[in-house]
């Protein structure tokens, strides 16, 4: 069942070619706009990938809402439905991240290229459950996409050393980008990974609990005689 849900979710994503193309090309626009500044280019690329994957997750979970309810009625586990969609989204996101990692390797002389790979992978792993959480709060695609754009824009503009930036979900992206590009110590890597693990656990648990509650069986009212 898990592989079936993952395959179905992947087919649904691929069917929306226009939306898929637009959200996956946005990171390229961010990257190309700041390619003259290596650090800015990598940071903006990672945040663009995060927005793209989170938006795809939003679209996937909103679009599958009615189907998931029908599957739950016939006995499908809400946990399996949630996990299957996350597997498809993470697989798609990691594929996008790999393409952009190759692009970085051929266009920039980054000090720690392997750290750019870690940066993009951790961003994808956070963005997938983040999009699912937003889809539960804002069940319409337009409002959800705007909310995600506001989160990413604030993450770009906030002072990375300030409290606001550390409260946002992709602060680890800024720390790992600094470690990958700038001549900084290992403390940036450790801080980024600790923040990543914390946000990943919180976002994944929140999205999973909300999915289970939303798809739980409903007790029908008793029939009066």
């Amino acid at each position: 069942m898990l592989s079936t849900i993952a395959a179905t979710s992947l087919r649904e994503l691929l069917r929306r070619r226009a939306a898929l193309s637009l959200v996956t090309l946005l990171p390229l626009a961010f990257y190309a706009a700041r390619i003259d500044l290596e650090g800015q280019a990598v940071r903006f690329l990672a945040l663009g990938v995060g927005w793209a994957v989170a938006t795809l997750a939003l679209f996937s979970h909103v679009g599958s809402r009615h189907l998931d309810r029908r599957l739950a009625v016939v006995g499908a586990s809400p946990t399996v439905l949630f996990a299957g969609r996350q597997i498809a989204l993470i697989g798609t996101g990691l594929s996008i991240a790999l393409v952009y990692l190759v692009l970085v390797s051929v266009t920039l002389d980054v000090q720690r290229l392997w750290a750019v790979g870690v940066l993009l992978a951790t961003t994808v792993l956070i963005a997938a459950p983040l999009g699912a959480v937003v889809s539960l709060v804002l069940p319409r695609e337009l409002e959800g996409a705007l909310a995600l754009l506001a989160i990413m824009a604030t993450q770009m503009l906030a002072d990375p050393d300030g409290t606001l930036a550390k409260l946002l979900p992709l602060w680890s992206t800024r720390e790992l980008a600094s470690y990958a590009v700038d001549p900084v110590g290992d403390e940036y890597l450790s801080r980024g990974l600790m923040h990543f693990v914390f946000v990943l656990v919180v976002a994944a648990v929140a999205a999973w609990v909300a999915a289970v509650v939303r798809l739980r069986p409903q007790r029908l009212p008793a029939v009066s005689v």
Side-chain angles (χ1 to χ4, degrees):
M1 175 62 82
L2 186 64
S3 60
T4 301
I5 298 298
T8 301
S9 301
L10 188 58
R11 282 197 296 271
E12 290 171 356
L13 287 174
L14 295 177
R15 203 173 289 137
R16 304 183 64 166
R17 294 186 183 87
L20 183 62
S21 300
L22 288 173
V23 297
T24 53
L25 287 176
L26 181 74
L28 178 61
F30 285 1
Y31 182 70
R34 305 308 299 263
I35 198 168
D36 54 323
L37 298 172
E38 185 177 272
Q40 292 292 324
V42 172
R43 290 184 181 91
F44 281 24
L45 171 65
L47 290 173
V49 169
W51 182 82
V53 176
T55 302
L56 289 176
L58 168 75
F59 289 176
S60 176
H61 283 275
V62 170
S64 64
R65 182 157 299 176
H66 297 295
L67 175 61
D68 284 355
R69 286 177 179 165
R70 290 198 295 270
L71 291 173
V73 168
V74 298
S77 164
T79 298
V80 171
L81 293 172
F82 172 74
R85 298 200 184 285
Q86 286 293 297
I87 289 172
L89 290 162
I90 290 172
T92 303
L94 291 178
S95 300
I96 296 170
L98 180 60
V99 171
Y100 281 117
L101 178 62
V102 173
L103 177 65
V104 171
S105 70
V106 298
T107 55
L108 292 178
D109 184 19
V110 178
Q111 183 176 359
R112 297 168 173 137
L113 183 62
W114 65 269
V116 176
V118 174
L119 160 69
L120 294 175
T122 54
T123 302
V124 168
L125 292 174
I126 291 176
L130 176 64
V133 171
V134 172
S135 75
L136 298 168
V137 179
L138 298 169
R140 294 184 179 180
E141 293 180 349
L142 178 59
E143 288 83 346
L146 291 175
L148 287 171
L149 188 59
I151 292 172
M152 299 303 171
T154 306
Q155 189 79 71
M156 283 184 183
L157 298 174
D159 179 4
D161 296 324
T163 303
L164 175 61
K166 295 173 184 175
L167 294 176
L168 293 170
L170 291 177
W171 181 73
S172 60
T173 295
R174 301 291 298 261
E175 292 294 281
L176 293 174
S178 297
Y179 180 75
V181 175
D182 301 327
V184 298
D186 292 344
E187 66 273 16
Y188 279 78
L189 176 63
S190 57
R191 283 201 306 260
L193 290 178
M194 284 191 293
H195 189 274
F196 155 70
V197 171
F198 175 76
V199 174
L200 174 64
V201 171
V202 171
V205 170
W208 170 69
V209 170
V212 170
V213 171
R214 179 168 56 85
L215 296 174
R216 71 186 188 282
Q218 300 292 322
R219 180 172 296 178
L220 297 175
V223 178
S224 57
V225 179

